[in-house]
Amino acid sequence: MIYLDNAATTFPKPMSVRNAVVNSISNYGANPGRGGHDLAVRASEIIYKSRSKTADFFGEKDAENVIFTSGCTHSINIVLKGLLKPGDHVVVSDMEHNAVMRPLYALKKKKISYSVARVSDVSSDETLENFRNALQENTRLVVCTHVSNVWGTRLPVERITAMCHQYSIPVLIDAAQSAGVLGIDLDESNFDYICMPGHKGLYGPMGTGILITKHHDDLETLIEGGTGSNSALFEQPGTSPDKFESGTPNLSGIAGLGAGIDFVRSVSCEKIHAHEINLLAHLYDRLEKNKNIILYTPRPNVYNSGGVLSFNVKNHDSEEVAAVLNRRFSIFVRAGLHCSPLAHLHHSTEETGAVRIAPSYFNTISEMNVLAASLKKI
Ligand code: PLP
């Protein structure tokens, strides 16, 4: 079996992550923050440790600015629905996932509009100008994915943020494909809102996600409820993270996420990124020699790419290719539109979709060779 669908969720998870999940369920599975007994206190400590590790890993000084969610979609919804008001305008890149586009589409009913800025395939200057030109007087937020989940394209998010800050416009970065792969230092980059899953490049369990922001006072809550704090009040606590973390937390997920961050740290983002790019560049070279393969992007490299590469086999639907890889060769990849129809319009693949290869730190060059050889047989 060769698993190459790590852009959806990483698999396998490191042994330390599996152990952390089992340990939490087996040894201290009480409700954190909901009781003064020893087991509840131990559970709270684990959540606190994971929160501190997350803050430290991303260069966020205050651990209370780290909000645990159920995934990147949840984090993005907290910002979009918590911040935007009728009459507001948003600029997004043409690489955004439906985790951004569907909430924005739903918000149209509340008179919130958006414009799309095209990402240039050749020049980050051009991308920056496209974003600048899309800004309006009522632009309240710019949303930009860090790495396209379809094409692996790396967007100039630091430059876009600096430009938006000249106009006092906050920026939401969707780090779904970059967290744990590209080093992110919030102290330097100044992203206002960064949303990410815990279950992809951070190697945590599914059902985990993170939002990091200093600007939580600007956000209304999506849900309210018990937090274990200020219980005498009906009013939702106004301070982060309690303001956004109502209900029993995902203790085993958050314990696993902490172990995932330890794993990434022990290897380093630089090494993980270089490994993934090395695999994809090797695959690219093999696919380039195959006359039946259509490649859409330049050869992956550490400066312009994340760990994702998509292509098509001439005269074949992408879903059909993925099904054959699955059935005949036990190679697991994702085909179709990858929840990102906008990104497919970018390379005119909205009808066929594309076959996506997304390795993790655990994949190997020999697996790339097996994939290339299997594609030759199709
Ligand atoms: N944004 C991008 C770019 C993604 O690739 C994904 C998932 O694939 C998401 C958002 C949604 O992440 P989650 O499934 O954790 O909600």
Side-chain angles (χ1 to χ4, degrees):
M1 180 209 68
I2 300 178
Y3 180 82
L4 288 166
D5 194 14
N6 293 283
T9 198
T10 43
F11 178 82
K13 304 295 181 192
M15 191 51 82
S16 54
V17 171
R18 295 184 239 174
N19 287 340
V21 172
V22 172
N23 188 23
S24 79
I25 296 173
S26 314
N27 297 324
Y28 55 89
N31 205 327
R34 304 305 199 270
H37 56 78
D38 287 356
L39 225 51
V41 170
R42 185 150 171 230
S44 297
E45 277 168 9
I46 291 297
I47 298 224
Y48 179 76
K49 270 192 189 156
S50 290
R51 205 184 298 283
S52 302
K53 269 180 209 171
T54 307
D56 198 44
F57 184 72
F58 288 102
E60 170 54 58
K61 288 195 186 76
D62 188 350
E64 295 187 344
N65 292 335
V66 173
I67 297 153
F68 288 125
T69 66
S70 67
C72 193
T73 304
H74 183 189
S75 305
I76 292 168
N77 270 268
I78 289 177
V79 181
L80 297 181
K81 293 180 181 159
L83 180 74
L84 300 170
K85 304 269 181 306
D88 284 346
H89 171 258
V90 182
V91 174
V92 299
S93 84
D94 70 344
M95 293 284 164
E96 298 309 313
H97 189 273
N98 276 343
V100 171
M101 299 316 297
R102 285 189 171 164
L104 280 182
Y105 186 85
L107 285 168
K108 276 179 152 188
K109 284 193 204 116
K110 297 196 170 157
K111 306 267 175 288
I112 291 157
S113 58
Y114 64 83
S115 309
V116 179
R118 186 174 166 83
V119 175
S120 166
D121 296 323
V122 288
S123 151
S124 58
D125 287 348
E126 205 177 303
T127 301
L128 195 67
E129 279 323 294
N130 291 346
F131 269 88
R132 196 193 300 274
N133 292 335
L135 298 179
Q136 300 180 5
E137 293 243 311
N138 58 340
T139 302
R140 177 76 179 98
L141 183 71
V142 168
V143 183
C144 186
T145 194
H146 198 174
V147 169
S148 162
N149 69 309
V150 182
W151 306 115
T153 314
R154 191 171 164 173
L155 278 72
V157 286
E158 290 85 3
R159 294 184 69 195
I160 290 169
T161 303
M163 183 273 289
C164 290
H165 285 178
Q166 287 172 359
Y167 301 95
S168 304
I169 298 170
V171 179
L172 182 169
I173 300 300
D174 177 351
Q177 299 300 335
S178 60
V181 180
L182 302 180
I184 296 171
D185 183 350
L186 292 175
D187 200 30
E188 268 178 23
S189 58
N190 264 320
F191 303 143
D192 300 278
Y193 305 97
I194 182 161
C195 301
M196 63 189 90
H199 61 98
K200 300 188 201 261
L202 296 175
Y203 291 88
M206 281 185 266
T208 58
I210 299 166
L211 161 64
I212 309 179
T213 181
K214 291 181 177 45
H215 308 295
H216 27 78
D217 287 346
D218 296 345
L219 301 177
E220 303 282 344
T221 46
L222 270 193
I223 59 164
E224 297 83 29
T227 56
S229 55
N230 295 320
S231 294
L233 299 178
F234 287 147
E235 192 182 349
Q236 184 74 2
T239 50
S240 181
D242 288 8
K243 180 175 174 186
F244 305 100
E245 290 186 359
S246 292
T248 298
N250 176 3
L251 173 65
S252 50
I254 293 170
L257 175 55
I261 290 178
D262 285 341
F263 167 78
V264 172
R265 218 175 192 157
S266 71
V267 181
S268 87
C269 287
E270 289 73 18
K271 213 164 152 192
I272 292 173
H273 185 211
H275 177 72
E276 292 180 5
I277 294 296
N278 187 36
L279 296 180
L280 291 177
H282 178 83
L283 177 68
Y284 192 93
D285 293 342
R286 299 256 337 228
L287 296 185
E288 233 182 355
K289 291 187 193 124
N290 182 339
K291 299 238 158 13
N292 286 323
I293 301 283
I294 309 167
L295 289 161
Y296 298 92
T297 48
R299 187 176 189 267
N301 66 78
V302 283
Y303 305 106
N304 303 313
S305 328
V308 176
L309 173 69
S310 293
F311 61 86
N312 269 310
V313 179
K314 271 182 202 156
N315 307 319
H316 289 280
D317 189 78
S318 61
E319 303 274 12
E320 191 191 334
V321 175
V324 174
L325 286 173
N326 178 21
R327 206 172 49 241
R328 276 181 57 194
F329 304 101
S330 291
I331 299 175
F332 305 142
V333 301
R334 171 116 181 248
L337 297 182
H338 315 94
C339 300
S340 300
L342 261 185
H344 279 277
L345 282 174
H346 185 99
H347 282 298
S348 306
T349 48
E350 66 277 15
E351 297 295 330
T352 54
V355 182
R356 180 178 76 180
I357 307 302
S360 81
Y361 189 62
F362 296 116
N363 291 108
T364 61
I365 286 278
S366 69
E367 289 177 329
M368 295 298 126
N369 289 336
V370 173
L371 170 63
S374 307
L375 285 165
K376 264 201 126 175
K377 289 185 195 150
I378 292 181

